[in-house]
């Protein structure tokens, strides 16, 4: 088992699971209002079963059996969207997309006709949690894999889901799918991902939900120290590890693509913008313009979720008009560093019909 596989699966409030201020514990209004007033702390995924080739946990990989439920607002769910696209799992694993705004039962399917997921037939993701464990008291998180025949949640372990997509779902990968977690590079990938998770993926939340100045100062410094480290690493190489896109790039991208839109202002990570770091800004644009990355991003969902749900740190619920998104489509010139995005593989095909990001969410 790799370091990444053995790492505790920790989740994001309102997105990937429970924290001490989880809105599902005492009602969303009180919970959301408590953000920024209690110490930010992650908890492990309660449902950590794995869908594997050998079905060791009772959940074998099987085309059409499972549904991936995500919010396009959530960075943890965003990873699974990118991985699913790059590996070409769209035909084998259906997709449910929740409303970016939650109500008292958390993630809801109000974007679908009749306010019900058309495959699962449920109005709230919490119904799949309840089907799995009656009376489950914890948070309702995305990404979530749901067993379609039984309607039961299988796993909400976002750290493991994408690793399993890369290594356990290989029989269902598209022809030309890249190797996102190559065996020979796993130790290095795990080390890089651990640092990015601690200081960047999780760090922006520790800064944004900090209850006092000292906690904020420490978290914000960690964020930018690690971003500087990443910038130096990427100054002379196109990707974080090796010559191709790996899981490490997916995880860093999921935070970088949200940085100027929400983390810079809403979470006060404002020592500088992503667009003010020439290396990271070019790196993020390179990935955004790579099929499978930017075509999963909905900036409208991202902004509305953060600014309207986290009432404890944005009580007015006002969503800012900026930033200008046009820069995401400008030339990045990162190809001059070499590297092969998909290795010996090929880019994914077009976004499946019905899964396109609406115009309102695109640059």
């Amino acid at each position: 088992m790799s370091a990444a596989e053995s790492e505790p699966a920790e989740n994001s409030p309102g997105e990937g699971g429970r924290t001490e201020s989880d809105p599902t514990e005492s009602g969303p209004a009180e919970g959301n209002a408590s953000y920024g007033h209690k110490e930010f702390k992650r908890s492990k995924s309660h449902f950590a079963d794995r869908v594997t080739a050998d079905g060791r946990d009772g959940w074998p990989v099987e085309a059409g059996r499972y549904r991936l439920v995500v919010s396009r607002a959530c960075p943890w769910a965003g990873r699974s969207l990118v991985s699913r696209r790059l590996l070409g799992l769209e035909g084998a694993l259906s997709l449910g997309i929740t409303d970016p705004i939650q109500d008292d039962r958390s993630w809801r399917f109000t974007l679908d006709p009749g306010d019900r997921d058309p495959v699962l037939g449920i109005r709230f993701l919490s119904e799949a949690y309840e089907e799995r464990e009656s009376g489950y008291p914890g948070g309702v998180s995305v990404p979530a894999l749901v067993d379609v025949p039984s309607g039961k949640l299988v796993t909400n372990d976002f750290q493991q889901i994408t690793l399993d997509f890369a290594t356990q779902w290989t029989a269902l990968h598209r022809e030309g799918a890249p190797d996102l977690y190559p065996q020979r590079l796993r130790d290095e990938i795990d080390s890089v991902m651990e640092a990015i998770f601690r200081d960047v993926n999780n760090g922006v939340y520790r800064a944004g939900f900090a209850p006092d100045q000292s906690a904020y100062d420490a978290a914000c410094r960690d964020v930018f120290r690690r971003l500087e480290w990443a910038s130096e690493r990427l100054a002379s190489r196109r990707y974080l590890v090796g010559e191709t896109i790996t899981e490490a790039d997916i995880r860093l991208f999921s935070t970088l693509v949200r940085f100027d839109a929400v983390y810079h202002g809403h979470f006060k990570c404002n020592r500088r913008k992503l667009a003010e770091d020439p290396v990271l800004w070019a790196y993020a644009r390179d990935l955004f313009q790579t099929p499978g990355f930017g075509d999963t991003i909905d900036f409208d969902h991202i902004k509305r979720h953060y600014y309207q749900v986290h009432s404890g740190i944005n009580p007015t619920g006002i969503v800012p008009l900026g930033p200008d998104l046009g820069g995401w489509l400008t030339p990045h010139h990162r190809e001059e560093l070499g590297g092969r995005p998909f290795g010996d593989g090929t880019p994914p095909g077009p976004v499946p019909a019905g899964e396109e990001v609406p115009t309102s969410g695109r640059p």
Side-chain angles (χ1 to χ4, degrees), residues 14 29 41 44 47-48 54 62 72 78 175-176 189 219 231 238 244 269 275 291 315 323 341 349:
K41 184 178 180 181
K44 296 180 182 180
F47 301 101
D54 62 7
E62 184 180 330
R72 290 196 188 273
E175 184 177 355
I189 292 172
S231 184
R238 191 171 180 183
T244 64
C269 294

Side-chain angles (χ1 to χ4, degrees), residues 79-147:
R79 300 174 177 183
S80 63
L81 282 169
V82 173
S83 179
R84 176 176 172 270
R85 280 276 293 130
L86 294 179
L87 298 174
L89 291 173
E90 296 102 319
L93 177 65
S94 66
L95 181 66
I97 299 174
T98 67
D99 193 310
I101 309 301
Q102 300 140 299
D103 69 5
D104 60 350
R105 293 186 63 180
S106 193
W107 299 111
R108 52 188 182 158
F109 295 103
T110 49
L111 303 180
D112 295 304
D115 296 345
R116 288 185 181 274
D117 180 272
V119 172
L120 300 174
I122 57 178
R123 296 178 60 210
F124 302 92
L125 180 56
S126 60
E127 295 174 55
Y129 278 68
E130 182 70 18
E131 195 67 34
R132 171 67 185 273
E133 182 178 310
S134 180
Y136 165 65
V140 176
S141 65
V142 289
L145 277 179
V146 180
D147 179 50

Side-chain angles (χ1 to χ4, degrees), residues 165-178:
F165 282 174
T167 61
Q168 297 294 320
W169 291 63
T170 53
L172 299 178
H173 287 182
R174 65 179 174 86
E175 184 177 355

Side-chain angles (χ1 to χ4, degrees), residues 10 24 53 66 91 93 118 123 138 167 215 248-249 263 275 285 294 348 359:
E10 299 175 330
T24 62
Y66 306 98
L93 177 65
R123 296 178 60 210
T167 61
D249 297 295
Y263 301 143
R285 299 200 317 276
T359 302

Side-chain angles (χ1 to χ4, degrees), residues 7 17 40 43 76 95 104 110 125 139 154 158 175 178 207 212 259 280 284 300:
E7 175 185 357
F40 177 70
S43 60
W76 320 106
L95 181 66
D104 60 350
T110 49
L125 180 56
V154 175
F158 76 92
E175 184 177 355
D212 55 55
F259 201 89
L280 289 182
D300 175 62

Side-chain angles (χ1 to χ4, degrees), residues 19 28 33 35 55 58 60 71 83 106 122 146 161 168 183 189 196 207 227 240 270 274 281 284 289 317 332 342 357:
T19 68
Y35 292 150
S71 164
S83 179
S106 193
I122 57 178
V146 180
I161 286 173
Q168 297 294 320
Q183 183 70 52
I189 292 172
I196 289 171
L227 288 178
L240 282 169
N270 62 357
L274 172 67
W281 178 221
Q289 293 170 32
H332 53 76
F342 305 101
V357 174

Side-chain angles (χ1 to χ4, degrees), residues 272-325:
R272 61 181 168 276
K273 296 178 180 178
L274 172 67
E276 293 170 346
D277 185 308
V279 172
L280 289 182
W281 178 221
Y283 166 77
R285 299 200 317 276
D286 184 7
L287 292 178
F288 187 89
Q289 293 170 32
T290 298
F293 282 85
D295 53 32
T296 70
I297 299 300
D298 189 325
F299 286 105
D300 175 62
H301 277 207
I302 290 169
K303 289 169 56 176
R304 286 197 290 123
H305 171 76
Y306 280 89
Y307 283 101
Q308 292 185 315
V309 170
H310 300 157
S311 58
I313 53 179
N314 188 40
T316 64
I318 293 173
V319 180
L321 293 176
D324 180 6
L325 301 176

Side-chain angles (χ1 to χ4, degrees), residues 146-193:
V146 180
D147 179 50
V148 174
S150 68
K152 293 180 179 179
L153 175 78
V154 175
T155 179
N156 64 351
D157 187 348
F158 76 92
Q159 296 281 48
Q160 192 62 47
I161 286 173
T162 51
L163 295 179
D164 284 342
F165 282 174
T167 61
Q168 297 294 320
W169 291 63
T170 53
L172 299 178
H173 287 182
R174 65 179 174 86
E175 184 177 355
D179 186 352
L180 299 177
Y181 196 45
Q183 183 70 52
R184 64 183 180 84
L185 296 175
R186 287 184 188 179
D187 287 346
E188 185 178 1
I189 292 172
D190 290 345
S191 176
V192 169
M193 291 194 304

